[in-house]
Amino acid sequence: VFAITYGTAAALSFGLGVLDLTWITRNFIPLTTAAIIFSSALAVAVYAASFLPNRLLSPHGNSGVFVYDFWMGRELNPRAFRTLDIKEFCELYPGMIGWGLLNLAFAYQQYKQLGTVTNAMLLVNGFELWYIVDALLNEAAILTTMDITTDGFGFMLAFGDLAWVPFTFCTQARYLADYPRQLSLPALLGILAVQALGYCIFRGANSQKNAFRRDPNHPSVRHLKSMPTERGTRLLISGWWGAARHINYLGDWIMGLAWCLPCGLSGLAAVVPYFYCIYFASLLLHRERRDEAACRAKYGADWDKYCALVP
């Protein structure tokens, strides 16, 4: 779906010139408003539906406090037409595809203005497109994340997936459409190295965790050390997960920094595209605290033993 949508938009705009993607950039505020309204309406709908019988509720969104439950989401995995998992669908498809198309539209705006696309804009589009495609290709990996396994689907995820992700994560491309930059070769290579480092940590750690959970005896992970827990499961204490707890978050943030670096640091306006990595750092720190609390409650004394082995 993404390949067809993105490929068609790129071909009709950059290739044939018959699709003016600057309509998207000119209507950025109305589109953002529409996404906020739609995501809010969806959050109301799934909250109301969570009171129907035979619904699996999230322990994090079933407190009885309306504001908290509406924010976190009462139902764990609300479904449409009995088969469509609304949470997983929103987590990956509409917002991620919209993010890619918004970046493409800002690149097209720059192309219309300059007659070319700068290497800085190409880096931002390339890095973030890579992230989107990687997420879609590794869809199974999100099934073990806290968003899917623990959190309900409420306003937090509805707004985050459908409005926040596409319309704030495109900030770097939007900035470069108005303030174009051409990077020197050393700067280009340095930013590529930062992106490669972040991706190596992020994808390596997540792939290792998912492979171990599926089959601890798989050739790719059977050499790794692990410790048993009273729950009957095992915790990795070597490989990526022996280097640091939640090391995948570090890789994710390093990639986010690489997306901001092509915008440079010239003048006050250059602070704007760095909003993403500043915001993302605070998000990941909060998520790390939540993960720690959840793991401590889940594993008890075993988590203290694990923390003594893994920094």
Side-chain angles (χ1 to χ4, degrees):
V1 174
F2 176 72
I4 294 171
T5 304
Y6 188 90
T8 301
L12 292 179
S13 55
F14 284 93
L16 300 177
V18 297
L19 178 64
D20 186 6
L21 290 178
T22 61
W23 180 90
I24 296 175
T25 64
R26 293 195 307 273
N27 290 277
F28 185 84
I29 299 301
L31 288 171
T32 304
T33 304
I36 293 171
I37 294 171
F38 180 82
S39 60
S40 300
L42 178 61
V44 170
V46 295
Y47 180 80
S50 71
F51 290 94
L52 295 173
N54 301 318
R55 300 290 170 140
L56 179 62
L57 302 183
S58 164
H60 288 180
N62 189 26
S63 68
V65 179
F66 166 73
V67 174
Y68 181 80
D69 292 348
F70 179 73
W71 174 267
M72 295 299 296
R74 288 189 81 245
E75 190 171 355
L76 186 62
N77 292 101
R79 293 182 179 273
F81 315 112
R82 297 187 179 182
T83 56
L84 178 65
D85 187 321
I86 297 173
K87 182 169 66 172
E88 184 184 349
F89 176 77
C90 291
E91 187 87 1
L92 276 180
Y93 291 97
M96 298 287 269
I97 292 174
W99 174 19
L101 289 175
L102 282 163
N103 279 351
L104 185 67
F106 285 117
Y108 189 69
Q109 176 184 325
Q110 188 184 82
Y111 176 73
K112 293 282 284 186
Q113 293 170 342
L114 303 180
T116 187
V117 178
T118 66
N119 58 10
M121 178 68 87
L122 288 173
L123 276 188
V124 167
N125 267 260
F127 288 164
E128 297 181 7
L129 179 62
W130 182 359
Y131 187 88
I132 294 165
V133 171
D134 180 75
L136 294 171
L137 290 177
N138 292 280
E139 181 176 355
I142 74 162
L143 299 178
T144 59
T145 63
M146 179 175 281
D147 285 355
I148 299 297
T149 62
T150 307
D151 291 337
F153 186 73
F155 182 80
M156 179 180 72
L157 288 181
F159 173 80
D161 293 341
L162 303 178
W164 183 263
V165 167
F167 291 98
T168 63
F169 286 19
C170 68
T171 300
Q172 296 82 28
R174 189 181 181 195
Y175 174 84
L176 289 170
D178 292 329
Y179 302 94
R181 296 186 77 247
Q182 189 72 16
L183 300 170
S184 66
L185 181 59
L188 184 71
L189 294 176
I191 295 170
L192 283 169
V194 173
Q195 167 70 15
L197 173 64
Y199 181 79
C200 181
I201 297 172
F202 173 76
R203 180 50 56 205
N206 282 332
S207 297
Q208 196 174 79
K209 176 185 68 175
N210 293 326
F212 185 80
R213 283 182 172 177
R214 287 196 305 269
D215 180 10
N217 295 314
H218 190 275
S220 65
V221 294
R222 65 186 176 194
H223 64 284
L224 297 175
K225 296 178 181 178
S226 62
M227 60 166 279
T229 68
E230 292 183 3
R231 291 174 54 89
T233 56
R234 303 186 71 87
L235 295 172
L236 284 171
I237 56 173
S238 68
W240 286 111
W241 297 93
R245 303 195 302 276
H246 317 297
I247 193 170
N248 55 327
Y249 292 164
L250 173 63
D252 209 352
W253 185 83
I254 291 173
M255 282 193 294
L257 176 62
W259 304 348
C260 301
L261 289 174
C263 300
L265 282 170
S266 55
L268 183 61
V271 175
V272 174
Y274 286 85
F275 164 78
Y276 174 79
C277 65
I278 296 169
Y279 143 78
F280 201 43
S282 63
L283 173 72
L284 292 177
L285 286 171
H286 176 259
R287 182 171 291 181
E288 189 270 343
R289 291 296 88 199
R290 286 185 64 202
D291 285 355
E292 283 287 311
C295 289
R296 194 170 298 281
K298 181 178 180 180
Y299 294 108
D302 287 327
W303 189 250
D304 293 326
K305 296 176 185 176
Y306 172 74
C307 291
L309 296 170
V310 180

